Amino acid sequence: MRSLIRTLLAPVIWVANKLGTRREVSRDEAQQAEVDQACETLALYQAWSEPDCIQVRREIARLGLTIETRDVRLDPEHTRVLKEEGGKLEVPCLYIHEAQGNERWLYGAQAIIDYLRGRFGE
């Protein structure tokens, strides 16, 4: 039943996602270039219609970030990487490649949002 509801609501969620989020953080060109470069070390493993993933994507848009999204439902390779390297098949998950070469896998919408706000927020 839950799957049917998500399927029926998917178009509504898509429209709300595209129209309902505006960028609220403004940066000058140099600052934005710095942020864009930092975002190259991040990837969001997600599922398009999952409410927690939508919440994270909205925060990404609000903060004006460019983070690669990897949909685990559409690409079996993303599913495999998330499960094998991340340790569990749960979305949303933020992959973080740190400057020292370490990799982190951050699970949970609120944890991801807190991390993004702390690193890129106002």
Side-chain angles (χ1 to χ4, degrees), residues 25-45:
V25 175
S26 62
R27 301 176 186 93
D28 64 32
E29 204 171 295
Q31 289 173 323
Q32 188 61 46
E34 229 177 83
V35 167
D36 290 343
Q37 185 177 9
C39 287
E40 290 176 5
T41 65
L42 306 174
L44 178 67
Y45 286 82

Side-chain angles (χ1 to χ4, degrees), residues 18-70:
K18 290 295 181 187
L19 301 178
T21 304
R22 69 176 199 273
R23 184 176 177 169
E24 294 181 11
V25 175
S26 62
R27 301 176 186 93
D28 64 32
E29 204 171 295
Q31 289 173 323
Q32 188 61 46
E34 229 177 83
V35 167
D36 290 343
Q37 185 177 9
C39 287
E40 290 176 5
T41 65
L42 306 174
L44 178 67
Y45 286 82
Q46 53 106 39
W48 180 69
S49 61
E50 284 291 322
D52 286 347
C53 297
I54 293 168
Q55 183 181 8
V56 172
R57 288 194 314 266
R58 283 189 172 182
E59 187 63 20
I60 288 170
R62 190 187 77 73
L63 292 170
L65 306 176
T66 305
I67 297 176
E68 177 186 359
T69 57
R70 299 175 180 172

Side-chain angles (χ1 to χ4, degrees), residues 1-15 46-55 57 71-73 89-92:
M1 182 67 172
R2 185 175 176 182
S3 177
L4 175 63
I5 291 171
R6 285 188 178 166
T7 301
L8 294 174
L9 289 178
V12 174
I13 292 169
W14 183 83
V15 169
Q46 53 106 39
W48 180 69
S49 61
E50 284 291 322
D52 286 347
C53 297
I54 293 168
Q55 183 181 8
R57 288 194 314 266
D71 198 308
V72 297
R73 290 190 183 158
L89 187 56
E90 179 184 317
V91 292

Side-chain angles (χ1 to χ4, degrees), residues 53-108:
C53 297
I54 293 168
Q55 183 181 8
V56 172
R57 288 194 314 266
R58 283 189 172 182
E59 187 63 20
I60 288 170
R62 190 187 77 73
L63 292 170
L65 306 176
T66 305
I67 297 176
E68 177 186 359
T69 57
R70 299 175 180 172
D71 198 308
V72 297
R73 290 190 183 158
L74 299 178
D75 190 332
E77 180 61 18
H78 294 325
T79 305
R80 184 196 65 74
V81 169
L82 180 60
K83 188 174 182 180
E84 291 178 10
E85 295 181 26
K88 56 184 171 179
L89 187 56
E90 179 184 317
V91 292
C93 176
L94 185 66
Y95 167 76
I96 306 163
H97 185 83
E98 297 173 335
Q100 304 83 5
N102 300 333
E103 295 181 337
R104 288 179 50 201
W105 298 84
L106 185 60
Y107 288 90

